[in-house]
Amino acid sequence: KQEVTQIPAALSVPEGENLVLNCSFTDSAIYNLQWFRQDPGKGLTSLLLIQSSQREQTSGRLNASLDKSSGRSTLYIAASQPGDSATYLCAPDSGSARQLTFGSGTQLTVLP
Amino acid sequence: DAGVIQSPRHEVTEMGQEVTLRCKPISGHDYLFWYRQTMMRGLELLIYFNNNVPIDDSGMPEDRFSAKMPNASFSTLKIQPSEPRDSAVYFCASSFTGQQHQPQHFGDGTRLSIL
């Protein structure tokens, strides 16, 4: 059974800092991995999807990396802004069952 | 494009009542997922459909829960009878399978409170 761990659970940084969120998973047999953000009282917004054959995916100030063999992914946020404040969740897709397994998330606060 | 649409956004009802949650996936998507989110257990997959057919319902907690997808544009999740421990936010998501897996798109959720 896939287990996903996200570290840190919470993070508070001043505006403008670059930061890294970490995700580890136990079963490396995945098809892809998604990073989501969740704002309070809202649904999940997909940020990046990395296919298992890729090592990196970029969108604007966001860069996600994937090391499937070691069961790790990182989300790098450059030049953080207060609008980046949200909970960030990673979810590997265990393709045989077409299921996303979610970590408990990292709650990010960017202070102005 | 309209995203995944869920209704109602909030539901408050008394224990023992039947609850029906509704979802309209993004047009053209062939997968539909139902999730439940609680503080204690986080986000859990309850059931998912492919081309309107239930594929895996192993996450459905009890027989009190049932889900249907009568057509490509509509799905329901029903709880009968409801219990206070069913209180949670229920999300519906959909995705399209092309040559590569595509992102899952989530609705805004239904916040369910069972008194």
Side-chain angles (χ1 to χ4, degrees):
Chain A
K1 179 185 173 185
Q2 180 75 275
E3 293 183 4
V4 181
T5 304
Q6 291 189 244
I7 294 173
L11 182 62
S12 183
V13 299
E15 182 176 4
E17 271 204 11
N18 303 324
L19 56 102
V20 175
L21 308 181
N22 296 292
C23 171
S24 61
F25 47 95
T26 55
D27 183 356
S28 61
I30 64 171
Y31 275 171
N32 60 56
L33 184 142
Q34 278 189 254
W35 281 93
F36 294 88
R37 71 174 278 167
Q38 184 175 26
D39 294 282
K42 298 288 188 181
L44 280 69
T45 301
S46 180
L47 298 172
L48 290 164
L49 181 149
I50 313 177
Q51 304 289 347
S52 62
S53 58
Q54 296 176 314
R55 294 194 58 92
E56 254 185 43
Q57 191 69 249
T58 298
S59 175
R61 294 182 294 107
L62 305 180
N63 176 277
S65 67
L66 175 64
D67 185 343
K68 204 173 90 160
S69 60
S70 68
R72 294 183 181 180
S73 178
T74 61
L75 179 67
Y76 175 82
I77 302 176
S80 58
Q81 302 172 357
D84 295 331
S85 298
T87 297
Y88 290 80
L89 299 134
C90 79
D93 180 344
S94 299
S96 62
R98 197 63 176 90
Q99 295 186 23
L100 291 181
T101 303
F102 285 86
S104 53
T106 294
Q107 187 173 1
L108 173 65
T109 303
V110 181
L111 304 169
Chain B
D1 284 343
V4 175
I5 299 172
Q6 292 187 246
S7 63
R9 288 297 314 278
H10 303 273
E11 175 89 9
V12 180
T13 192
E14 292 188 345
M15 182 175 69
Q17 297 298 307
E18 178 178 292
V19 174
T20 300
L21 310 181
R22 296 173 176 79
C23 176
K24 177 179 169 56
I26 293 173
S27 177
H29 282 191
D30 55 349
Y31 277 88
L32 183 138
F33 306 83
W34 282 100
Y35 293 89
R36 178 172 69 175
Q37 186 176 38
T38 62
M39 290 292 292
M40 290 294 294
R41 300 174 67 90
L43 261 165
E44 303 172 286
L45 177 66
L46 300 177
I47 185 172
Y48 74 94
F49 296 81
N50 178 220
N51 292 322
N52 312 339
V53 176
I55 302 301
D56 187 345
D57 65 355
S58 60
M60 297 284 262
E62 299 171 36
D63 291 345
R64 298 183 296 105
F65 286 70
S66 63
K68 293 182 180 179
M69 192 165 185
N71 57 62
S73 60
F74 184 65
S75 176
T76 60
L77 178 67
K78 189 172 291 188
I79 308 173
Q80 167 63 20
S82 57
E83 296 184 5
R85 60 193 165 127
D86 302 331
S87 298
V89 182
Y90 291 81
F91 289 104
C92 176
S94 69
S95 70
F96 170 72
T97 302
Q99 289 186 335
Q100 292 181 320
H101 286 190
Q102 300 297 314
Q104 290 189 21
H105 297 266
F106 281 68
D108 284 339
T110 294
R111 185 172 296 275
L112 178 63
S113 297
I114 308 296
L115 306 176

